[in-house]
Amino acid sequence: MATYYEKLGASTVREVVDRFYAVILDDVDLKPYFDGIDMPRLKRHLVMLLCSVLGGPEAYEGRDLADAHRGMGITEEHYARVGEILVTVLRDDHGADDDLIQHVTTVLGQVRGSIVEKPAEAAG
């Protein structure tokens, strides 16, 4: 049985990451999180992470997710928006199937606590 990585393809993972960050950096609420960030380096890390999550041969060797995101003040709302962007890029731009989307969504749920620092502001 093919892994999600094999189904999607190595070059597609890189395309997904490029498109993902293009959308993120075009979002007025999310863009500030990336001010001063070395984007080529960040993209390489996300390619490795996504390949690893999808069952590819690349091992993620970046920082621990909690360490990498500590002090950024990422809210539940912004985390959810980033997840939606990733799912949309995978599904709509690259034809990922429902099983792959469910797998990615599950992993996003598993790592949420390592990335989100504070709840979204209550609407009032």
Side-chain angles (χ1 to χ4, degrees), residues 10-88:
S11 63
T12 301
V13 171
R14 284 186 285 281
E15 291 170 11
V16 165
V17 169
D18 284 341
R19 177 71 182 134
F20 169 76
Y21 280 120
V23 174
I24 293 270
L25 295 175
D26 210 28
D27 185 300
V28 68
D29 292 328
L30 299 176
K31 185 176 181 171
Y33 287 111
F34 299 90
D35 287 345
I37 298 295
D38 178 349
M39 290 306 296
R41 181 173 180 258
L42 185 60
K43 285 181 180 183
R44 283 191 305 276
H45 282 285
L46 185 57
V47 166
M48 286 188 295
L49 181 60
L50 196 52
C51 286
S52 179
V53 164
L54 296 175
E58 293 85 354
Y60 176 70
E61 297 176 358
R63 290 190 305 168
D64 174 75
L65 292 177
D67 291 340
H69 295 90
R70 187 169 290 118
M72 294 181 70
I74 297 172
T75 66
E76 282 283 348
E77 177 183 65
H78 288 157
Y79 184 79
R81 177 72 183 124
V82 166
E84 290 168 10
I85 291 168
L86 180 58
V87 165
T88 297

Side-chain angles (χ1 to χ4, degrees), residues 53 65 76 79-80 83-84 86-87 101-116:
V53 164
L65 292 177
E76 282 283 348
Y79 184 79
E84 290 168 10
L86 180 58
V87 165
I101 296 299
Q102 182 58 50
H103 177 71
V104 168
T105 302
T106 298
V107 172
L108 287 171
Q110 292 169 341
V111 301
R112 173 181 272 111
S114 297
I115 296 172
V116 173

Side-chain angles (χ1 to χ4, degrees), residues 87-100:
V87 165
T88 297
V89 168
L90 283 164
R91 184 184 52 233
D92 297 351
D93 296 350
H94 295 284
D97 65 21
D98 290 342
D99 286 343
L100 188 148

